[in-house]
Amino acid sequence: MIILNFYGNIEPTIISKKLGVGISNPPSDWVIVLQDEMLEEMIVLEHNLKVWRKEDFKDIQLSNYDLTQLVKKAKWNIPLEDYSSDLEVIARNLVVIDVLDFKNSYLQLKNDTMDSPTCEVSFPRKFINFCNKIQYSSKGKDVLNNRIPFSTFSSDEFNEKPRILNFFRAMLNSQLDFENYNNECLSSLVKVGALIDDFLQKEEEFWIFDYIINSMYHDREYNAYHVFKVMSLIEMLIINPSGNGRTVGELERKLPLFLKEPRIVAAKKATFAQIMRQLRNKIAHGDYRAIQLLLKRYREEFMINYQYDEFEYSIENWTYLNICCRLDEVLNEIVWELITNKERLRLLQYE
């Protein structure tokens, strides 16, 4: 069960017809579970407040959740007498993303029994993570208006404390127009779903999409392995597959097309691509000496006057952090191009 950060009573809506992914309010059996999760969150917060007060956090506003006030502030047009508690009101007005139409979904190609086997990360969670990433591409920002919601709770995460009420209260306390925000989130999800459906015209394209969505999922470790993985995805999408793995010159020519200024100035785009190609290869072969030389060269080219805080990270890891951010931006641009103009990307790939 994946809960998103928008709220209210909604009609079940299919986002992607080809994948069967949609949004709705929680089914009745999950309403009870979600109330228990929120109750746990309240108990944890109450405990934390006692600890923080002992530690004399005088300048921080500390308070428990006032459920009645939260429901009132949400301004939901609902008969409250139909609910047993404020927790139930909130639970029934949460929004979940799930596979609502499995029988017509390409996901049956992977598993004809269920969309998300119980020991795997659920597909809806990977799907919303993918949508969140591509919305930050330069063209995605214009189309989706930064209104792809994010997950505030996942039943997959057994070791994480629930933060459903925390996000709900933060949303209510924001300066956003609550109702308008919800409508914009729904609209953006429907738009990205339509783009994905347009891309998924045949089985091969589903397997490409599935490979990408799995590779892009939830990688918070910005290190050598992230560089290797993202560079491998980039090469898969823009390098001519008939080149037998030779990318010299081709990568320097194609990757800069997806580097956005002012992050990397035009005169240094080819240099960036060259360093990334060499770094990816040295990581693949475990050549740690050459890796350190390439990281040093990157700093000299792209991190001049950078303020390194070595209490937070080592200089090496600051370098990887910078590189990974740039590569993620490139990948977002390429994947956006893939789902919006796959023929143009294919032409580029075979140039």
Side-chain angles (χ1 to χ4, degrees):
M1 175 63 61
I2 310 299
I3 304 295
L4 302 178
N5 71 317
F6 72 108
Y7 311 88
N9 184 262
I10 65 168
E11 290 293 324
T13 304
I14 296 295
I15 298 168
S16 167
K17 295 178 182 178
K18 300 280 182 71
L19 298 171
V21 175
I23 58 172
S24 67
N25 294 120
S28 296
D29 55 339
W30 270 97
V31 169
I32 298 172
V33 174
L34 291 169
Q35 288 182 76
D36 288 339
E37 295 288 347
M38 288 187 285
L39 186 59
E40 178 186 345
E41 182 180 355
M42 294 173 68
I43 293 169
V44 170
L45 177 63
E46 185 177 353
H47 168 74
N48 287 340
L49 288 174
K50 291 178 181 178
V51 173
W52 294 334
R53 287 180 181 125
K54 286 180 181 178
E55 295 177 357
D56 205 21
F57 281 77
K58 293 180 179 179
D59 297 328
I60 300 177
Q61 291 185 344
L62 303 172
S63 63
N64 288 304
Y65 295 118
D66 186 334
L67 299 181
T68 301
Q69 184 62 27
L70 290 177
V71 171
K72 182 178 179 181
K73 200 168 184 177
K75 297 180 181 178
W76 288 319
N77 186 24
I78 53 176
L80 297 181
E81 62 272 13
D82 292 348
Y83 298 89
S84 62
S85 66
D86 291 323
L87 270 182
E88 185 186 353
V89 174
I90 296 170
R92 291 193 180 278
N93 283 276
L94 296 173
V95 175
V96 307
I97 182 168
D98 206 349
V99 177
L100 302 181
D101 183 18
F102 179 63
K103 67 179 182 179
N104 294 309
S105 171
Y106 266 126
L107 293 172
Q108 287 195 3
L109 293 171
K110 295 190 69 175
N111 187 335
D112 60 8
T113 304
M114 61 192 305
D115 58 89
S116 300
T118 56
C119 292
E120 297 179 11
V121 175
S122 70
F123 184 82
R125 187 168 191 190
K126 291 183 286 189
F127 179 89
I128 199 67
N129 173 77
F130 173 84
C131 295
N132 265 285
K133 290 191 173 185
I134 64 169
Q135 75 170 324
Y136 293 116
S137 63
S138 56
K139 295 177 182 176
K141 290 177 182 177
D142 295 333
V143 175
L144 303 176
N145 196 30
N146 197 27
R147 281 295 183 266
I148 297 294
F150 56 84
S151 170
T152 65
F153 170 81
S154 170
S155 56
D156 296 337
E157 297 293 334
F158 299 111
N159 296 323
E160 284 192 10
K161 298 299 182 184
R163 295 189 295 164
I164 301 171
L165 293 171
N166 176 61
F167 283 107
F168 180 45
R169 180 167 66 178
M171 182 61 68
L172 290 173
N173 290 339
S174 71
Q175 299 303 310
L176 292 170
D177 181 318
F178 197 49
E179 183 176 354
N180 187 54
Y181 173 81
N182 291 347
N183 292 334
E184 288 177 346
C185 284
L186 178 58
S187 174
S188 293
L189 284 171
V190 170
K191 285 178 183 176
V192 77
L195 290 172
I196 291 169
D197 283 352
D198 189 54
F199 169 74
L200 296 173
Q201 295 300 315
K202 52 188 177 181
E203 182 177 326
E204 179 187 355
E205 286 160 344
F206 166 74
W207 290 113
I208 291 171
F209 180 80
D210 187 65
Y211 183 83
I212 293 169
I213 204 173
N214 280 300
S215 298
M216 291 179 73
Y217 173 71
H218 213 209
D219 188 350
R220 296 175 180 171
E221 296 296 323
Y222 275 14
N223 52 28
Y225 311 107
H226 186 92
V227 174
F228 180 81
K229 184 179 74 171
V230 175
M231 279 300 297
S232 297
L233 280 171
I234 290 171
E235 291 178 16
M236 180 190 82
L237 294 169
I238 67 174
I239 296 298
N240 191 328
S242 62
N244 296 319
R246 293 187 297 271
T247 62
V248 179
E250 187 178 357
L251 195 69
E252 283 87 339
R253 177 168 52 88
K254 294 179 179 179
L255 188 148
L257 298 174
F258 302 96
L259 277 168
K260 299 303 176 182
E261 299 182 42
R263 297 288 198 188
I264 306 291
V265 297
K268 289 196 171 186
K269 287 183 177 182
T271 301
F272 177 89
Q274 180 190 55
I275 295 174
M276 293 305 104
R277 174 179 57 77
Q278 293 173 343
L279 186 60
R280 184 259 190 210
N281 292 339
K282 298 306 180 183
I283 292 169
H285 293 95
D287 190 343
Y288 59 89
R289 292 187 181 89
I291 289 170
Q292 291 305 316
L293 291 174
L294 286 167
L295 294 178
K296 181 175 183 291
R297 184 186 172 198
Y298 181 87
R299 288 192 292 271
E300 291 170 348
E301 293 280 358
F302 301 104
M303 299 179 71
I304 299 171
N305 299 323
Y306 196 90
Q307 299 298 312
Y308 300 97
D309 185 345
E310 293 183 69
F311 284 98
E312 292 185 358
Y313 297 106
S314 67
I315 291 177
E316 178 186 12
N317 282 332
W318 276 117
T319 312
Y320 276 126
L321 179 64
N322 192 281
I323 290 171
C324 291
C325 287
R326 299 294 81 76
L327 287 178
D328 282 357
E329 290 166 358
V330 169
L331 182 60
N332 290 340
E333 298 290 337
I334 294 172
V335 173
W336 181 264
E337 190 74 11
L338 178 69
I339 68 168
T340 58
N341 203 329
K342 61 187 174 186
E343 292 306 322
R344 184 162 60 190
L345 189 65
R346 188 172 287 118
L347 286 174
L348 173 67
Q349 187 177 31
Y350 284 91
E351 282 183 2

